[in-house]
């Protein structure tokens, strides 16, 4: 949220209004002050200018990555409006394009997994193909090397002595076909040029060990899977994130000093979140970072409704500080960058 | 049975303009913009940006029906500029803002990767 100290402001908001403007107060039953304050002249009578200035915003906006590994990422975004945070979340889930199997052409399927069930499972496999290399394919357009790539699955289960070979079909059995479909007349997919240059390393599923089907000796699966570019909006298989979400930064505030036995009581109720400082009659409770104790926050919320505690503690959340978690399916590990570029 | 195809959500058919606008006859300096094949993702942030504009008296968006894939944005200005100008400014400001967020994010992730020793390259596996 832009601070009230923009050019032209001739004062600060009273403390309680500043708190209400910046934080959602989490009461025991409801959350209060959940709207964001945007109008320029809302504090006109107090002689405070609430105008939004791009330069001021740029100065106070920041992103801090907390943790990042291959598939998950946690970072903070401070200083944006909830509408933008929500737009990012929606774009991440539904509008970042990826590649997934769409059409499956069967040559033979004698397994007990029916055609449509197997096709559904194939569609959900995450593939590590770069969607920026491909164009979108509309229904009427012909399949070509510019908008499709082809994977082949050919598995026969045999008995070898006392053991079975190929009785489980895994995602790693999908083979990339750079020259396209082997049956262009039936599938309508003709490549003018091979895709070796476009995809020198081919296309693999992100996870090799995804189980697709189980076979018994004599059963065969022989199919061609065509993959096109799509968005999560059309089908969840094209969503690049397992999920992505954000929370607001929580804060536990002590509104009236908690002394003596009360301090002991609260340190016992919420271990780690509240600590007792000092000794003897003057001992006080101190609140630690609420972010590290997420499971105790609802307890604080409930306690702030009880008569014994209601003047002393309060749970509040900052309206413009978002704690993001992005869990990728593995196709790419920096989906946010793409979502932002897509938004532009 | 009556639900439209999923691709209708984002494919703008021939003959329909992505964005069109109608002046409001009853109120001065007001217009309604109809954006085809968009939803709350864009609507909410454009509305938010319009609210930040000094010259805008009224700004709101709605999705009239969840199965009809379009969105309306209604803007009324105080006369200093036309609603079209206010809308253009809002969209431009949003582009700047998102550009800034993109740059900031890219800088921060490469800084984080450097700190943790990973190579800073495009993460396609």
């Amino acid at each position: 949220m832009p601070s009230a100290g923009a050019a032209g402001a001739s004062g600060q908001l009273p403390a309680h209004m500043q708190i209400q403007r910046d934080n959602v107060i989490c009461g025991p039953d409801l959350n209060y002050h959940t709207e964001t304050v945007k109008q320029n002249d809302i504090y006109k009578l107090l002689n405070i200018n609430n105008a939004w200035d791009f330069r001021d915003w740029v100065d106070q906006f920041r992103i801090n990555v907390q943790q990042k590994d291959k598939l998950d990422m946690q970072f903070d975004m401070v200083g944006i409006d909830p509408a933008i945070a929500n737009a990012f979340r929606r774009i991440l889930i539904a509008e970042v394009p990826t590649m997934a199997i769409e059409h499956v052409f069967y040559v033979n399927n004698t397994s007990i997994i029916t055609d449509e069930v197997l096709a559904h499972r194939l569609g959900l496999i995450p593939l590590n193909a770069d969607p920026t290399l491909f164009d979108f394919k509309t229904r009427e357009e012909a399949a070509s090397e510019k908008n499709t790539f082809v994977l082949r699955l050919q598995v026969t289960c045999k008995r070898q002595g006392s053991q079975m070979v190929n009785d489980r079909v895994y995602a790693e059995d999908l083979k990339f076909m750079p020259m396209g479909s082997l049956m262009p007349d039936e599938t309508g997919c003709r490549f003018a040029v091979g895709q070796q240059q476009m995809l020198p390393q081919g296309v693999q599923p992100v996870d090799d060990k995804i189980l697709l089907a189980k076979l018994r000796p004599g059963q065969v699966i022989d199919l061609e899977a065509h993959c096109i570019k799509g968005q999560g909006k059309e089908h969840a298989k094209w969503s690049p994130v397992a999920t992505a979400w954000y929370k607001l930064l929580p804060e536990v505030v002590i509104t009236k000093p908690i002394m003596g036995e009360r301090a002991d009581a609260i340190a016992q109720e919420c271990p780690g979140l509240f600590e007792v400082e000092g000794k003897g009659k003057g001992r006080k409770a101190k609140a630690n970072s609420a972010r590290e104790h997420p499971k105790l926050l609802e307890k604080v919320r409930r306690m702030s409704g009880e008569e014994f505690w209601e003047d002393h503690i309060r749970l509040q959340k900052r309206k413009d500080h978002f704690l993001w978690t992005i869990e990728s399916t593995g196709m790419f590990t920096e989906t946010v960058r793409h979502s932002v570029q897509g938004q532009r | 049975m009556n639900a439209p195809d999923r691709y209708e959500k984002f494919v703008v058919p021939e003959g329909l303009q992505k964005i069109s606008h109608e002046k409001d006859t009853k109120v001065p300096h007001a217009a309604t913009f109809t954006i085809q094949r968009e939803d709350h993702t864009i609507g909410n942030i454009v509305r938010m940006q319009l609210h930040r504009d000094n010259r805008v008296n009224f700004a709101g968006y709605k999705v009239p029906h969840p199965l009809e894939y379009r969105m309306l944005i209604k803007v009324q200005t105080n006369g200093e500029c036309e609603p079209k100008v206010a809308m253009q400014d809002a969209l431009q400001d949003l582009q700047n803002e998102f550009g800034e967020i993109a740059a900031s994010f890219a800088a921060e992730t490469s800084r984080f990767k450097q700190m943790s020793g990973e190579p800073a390259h495009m993460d396609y596996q």
Side-chain angles (χ1 to χ4, degrees), chain B residues 77-96:
Chain B
T77 57
N78 63 3
E80 263 178 57
C81 67
E82 283 303 300
K84 203 158 91 164
V85 175
M87 185 76 160
Q88 282 168 339
D89 287 347
L91 293 171
Q92 185 59 46
D93 285 339
L94 281 174
Q95 273 192 308
N96 296 340

Side-chain angles (χ1 to χ4, degrees), chain B residues 49-63:
Chain B
Q49 191 60 32
L50 282 166
H51 275 300
R52 288 174 172 166
D53 195 339
N54 244 333
R55 311 164 293 185
V56 169
N57 274 349
F58 175 91
Y61 88 98
K62 70 175 167 185
V63 177

Side-chain angles (χ1 to χ4, degrees), chain A residues 49-101:
Chain A
N49 182 14
N50 195 28
W52 182 80
D53 182 47
F54 183 67
R55 296 279 144 235
D56 287 344
W57 173 77
V58 168
D59 287 336
Q60 55 91 47
F61 169 72
R62 54 183 208 279
I63 296 184
N64 294 322
V65 179
Q66 303 291 351
Q67 184 233 320
K68 178 179 181 325
D69 58 34
K70 203 142 179 265
L71 290 178
D72 299 341
M73 181 169 180
Q74 287 176 10
F75 62 96
D76 288 9
M77 249 191 196
V78 188
I80 53 171
D81 195 88
I84 297 188
N86 194 35
F88 273 128
R89 187 191 59 88
R90 288 174 67 99
I91 291 175
L92 276 170
I93 293 174
E95 292 183 38
V96 179
T98 52
M99 307 293 294
I101 294 175

Side-chain angles (χ1 to χ4, degrees), chain A residues 57-329:
Chain A
W57 173 77
V58 168
D59 287 336
Q60 55 91 47
F61 169 72
R62 54 183 208 279
I63 296 184
N64 294 322
V65 179
Q66 303 291 351
Q67 184 233 320
K68 178 179 181 325
D69 58 34
K70 203 142 179 265
L71 290 178
D72 299 341
M73 181 169 180
Q74 287 176 10
F75 62 96
D76 288 9
M77 249 191 196
V78 188
I80 53 171
D81 195 88
I84 297 188
N86 194 35
F88 273 128
R89 187 191 59 88
R90 288 174 67 99
I91 291 175
L92 276 170
I93 293 174
E95 292 183 38
V96 179
T98 52
M99 307 293 294
I101 294 175
E102 168 84 344
H103 300 292
V104 178
F105 299 93
Y106 284 93
V107 175
N108 198 359
N109 177 18
T110 46
S111 72
I112 56 164
I113 314 290
T114 56
D115 290 351
E116 63 273 13
V117 174
L118 185 56
H120 179 244
R121 292 175 71 79
L122 287 168
L124 292 171
I125 300 171
L127 304 168
N128 69 352
D130 179 358
T132 56
L133 299 172
F134 294 92
D135 301 328
F136 280 102
K137 172 183 169 312
T138 58
R139 290 192 173 199
E140 300 81 26
E141 244 174 270
S144 73
E145 69 277 5
K146 293 197 183 50
N147 53 35
T148 318
F149 63 85
V150 178
L151 299 170
R152 185 108 192 274
L153 181 62
Q154 213 183 7
V155 184
T156 309
C157 182
K158 295 198 228 329
R159 181 154 279 158
Q160 246 181 15
S162 61
Q163 293 186 329
M164 280 190 290
V165 165
N166 286 343
D167 68 325
R168 287 168 179 231
V169 180
Y170 290 105
E172 64 191 345
D173 298 327
L174 284 164
K175 301 281 179 280
F176 175 60
M177 316 281 294
M179 292 310 294
S181 174
L182 292 176
M183 27 183 198
D185 294 324
E186 284 95 338
T187 61
C189 167
R190 275 166 227 282
F191 282 17
V193 190
Q195 289 176 323
Q196 295 92 333
Q197 293 236 325
M198 195 201 269
L199 295 162
Q201 296 174 333
V203 173
Q204 279 82 40
V206 167
D207 195 334
D208 281 337
K209 287 299 176 190
I210 299 173
L211 180 64
L212 294 172
K214 289 187 184 180
L215 301 174
R216 299 290 292 172
Q219 293 180 341
V220 175
I221 295 182
D222 188 353
L223 56 85
E224 239 182 46
H226 294 207
C227 314
I228 59 178
K229 187 168 167 178
Q231 295 172 311
K233 279 203 262 206
E234 191 170 349
H235 192 285
K237 69 188 177 193
W238 278 299
S239 181
V241 290
T243 190
W245 75 92
Y246 60 83
K247 301 193 287 194
L248 300 178
L249 177 76
E251 283 169 341
V252 174
V253 172
I254 297 180
T255 44
K256 196 164 134 190
I258 305 179
M259 317 284 285
E261 283 179 3
R262 242 185 242 258
D264 292 335
I266 204 169
Q268 200 176 21
E269 288 269 342
C270 307
L273 184 54
F274 284 98
E275 271 176 357
V276 180
E277 277 182 330
K279 290 215 192 338
K281 276 182 84 173
R283 58 186 189 274
K284 278 169 69 163
K286 177 182 83 118
N288 288 331
S289 161
R291 197 174 162 159
E292 286 148 29
H293 306 277
K295 296 193 182 134
L296 293 170
L297 296 179
E298 289 302 309
K299 199 172 196 183
V300 171
R301 188 199 276 258
R302 179 187 39 89
M303 283 164 67
S304 68
E306 291 168 12
E307 220 181 292
F308 189 66
W309 294 111
E310 67 187 344
D311 299 322
H312 297 267
I313 55 177
R314 182 176 72 214
L315 175 65
Q316 62 191 36
K317 298 187 183 180
R318 283 208 63 97
K319 287 185 206 175
D320 63 344
H321 191 140
F322 300 93
L323 314 177
W324 280 90
T325 311
I326 298 183
E327 294 180 359
S328 165
T329 50

Side-chain angles (χ1 to χ4, degrees), chain A residues 40 52 57 63 65 73 81 84 90 128 130 139 233-234 330 332-334 337-338 340 343-344, chain B residues 6-7 10 39 41 45 48-49 52-54 95 97-98 102 108-109 112-113 122-125:
Chain A
N40 291 290
W52 182 80
W57 173 77
I63 296 184
V65 179
M73 181 169 180
D81 195 88
I84 297 188
R90 288 174 67 99
N128 69 352
D130 179 358
R139 290 192 173 199
K233 279 203 262 206
E234 191 170 349
F332 20 79
T333 53
E334 279 185 19
R337 174 152 46 91
H338 298 273
V340 177
Q343 179 59 21
R344 291 169 73 205
Chain B
R6 273 306 194 100
Y7 65 79
F10 44 89
D39 57 4
T41 312
I45 51 183
M48 171 207 77
Q49 191 60 32
R52 288 174 172 166
D53 195 339
N54 244 333
Q95 273 192 308
E97 217 174 314
F98 277 102
E108 175 62 27
T109 41
F112 186 82
K113 278 194 208 166
M122 279 271 277
D123 286 62
Y124 286 122
Q125 295 180 24

